[in-house]
Amino acid sequence: RTARFLSSRLPALTPSVLDEQQRKVYQGILDDRAATGKKGGFPIQNDDGSLVGPWNAMVLSPEIGALAERMGSVCRHKNACPANVFEIGILVVGERWLSQFEWFAHERLALSAGVSPEGVAQIKTRTPPAEIQGLTPLELKGYTFATELHDTKRVSDATYRALHEEIGDCGIADLVFTMGFYHQISMVLNVFNVPLPPGVEHPFDEPPSRP
């Protein structure tokens, strides 16, 4: 797969060019997200010290970026929704946006959380919930919820009840907050053409360019 854009639209913000506020956000991301990158099998820094993925943009706009990073940290570390379920929700978001880096990172994190390779592969092709294979009963309820929400912009009572019986009010709230957060991240990644690590194949074909 090839990408239409080969490099980011943003400058790589290396430590030497950061102001005090940017440096604080930069260091906070390093302190919090290094373990996440390690878990997903990718570094969060480039060789020049700039940050990969959406984190470079967060440093560029440090006031909003610090809040976004804080929400991302809470979604990951203090989530009442089980990790395998919220990672499925994130994958649904990434597929809808055809977000290259989002899928690259969260495919690995979903697998680490216990989602099967078969299930991940079928989420990527938007397999309908009634046909998908390889998910646990709980994961299927989460996938049905996330898919229905994205397809219809609503969730039926039956779909809501099925997931609510498993994870409760707070679990559903955290799943919805988490998916909403990753819509924001996918927009950042797509708008700024955030590149994948060198040598990594793009998970999705890029849509046709527009005039």
Side-chain angles (χ1 to χ4, degrees):
R1 298 177 190 275
T2 58
R4 187 169 71 250
F5 302 109
L6 300 179
S7 61
S8 176
R9 286 171 167 157
L10 291 179
L13 298 176
T14 58
S16 63
V17 304
L18 303 180
D19 63 29
E20 183 177 352
Q21 192 174 21
Q22 290 174 324
R23 192 179 303 278
K24 184 177 179 180
V25 176
Y26 174 94
Q27 190 58 51
I29 292 169
L30 287 183
D31 292 343
D32 182 72
R33 291 307 180 102
T36 300
K38 185 176 181 180
K39 189 175 182 180
F42 60 91
I44 68 165
Q45 285 176 288
N46 295 305
D47 290 342
D48 61 5
S50 62
L51 299 177
V52 305
W55 299 299
N56 187 58
M58 292 181 187
V59 173
L60 178 70
S61 178
E63 290 194 49
I64 292 177
L67 295 173
E69 165 53 22
R70 177 61 180 160
M71 183 168 183
S73 177
V74 173
C75 286
R76 178 146 305 283
H77 300 301
K78 298 182 179 180
N79 205 313
C81 180
N84 57 335
V85 177
F86 74 66
E87 286 295 349
I88 285 172
I90 294 169
L91 290 181
V92 170
V93 172
E95 187 277 325
R96 296 303 171 111
W97 279 98
L98 301 179
S99 182
Q100 310 288 7
F101 194 97
E102 193 62 39
W103 188 273
F104 158 74
H106 285 275
E107 178 181 42
R108 288 154 177 77
L109 291 168
L111 293 170
S112 180
V115 184
S116 72
E118 181 184 15
V120 169
Q122 292 184 59
I123 293 169
K124 186 179 178 184
T125 58
R126 205 181 293 190
T127 302
E131 300 174 15
I132 197 167
Q133 302 292 318
L135 298 183
T136 68
L138 172 58
E139 290 168 352
L140 178 58
K141 291 175 183 179
Y143 180 61
T144 301
F145 183 100
T147 300
E148 187 174 307
L149 178 58
H150 284 83
D151 285 346
T152 71
K153 310 302 183 274
R154 301 291 187 274
V155 174
S156 68
D157 287 342
T159 297
Y160 186 92
R161 281 196 301 268
L163 186 59
H164 185 270
E165 288 172 359
E166 301 283 354
I167 66 174
D169 291 330
C170 193
I172 288 182
D174 285 3
L175 173 60
V176 174
F177 280 129
T178 299
M179 288 192 291
F181 174 74
Y182 281 97
H183 275 282
Q184 172 183 274
I185 294 300
S186 292
M187 286 191 282
V188 169
L189 293 166
N190 285 6
V191 166
F192 296 120
N193 303 334
V194 173
L196 292 171
V200 174
E201 185 177 283
H202 286 246
F204 303 109
D205 290 326
E206 283 285 323
S209 59
R210 297 191 178 194

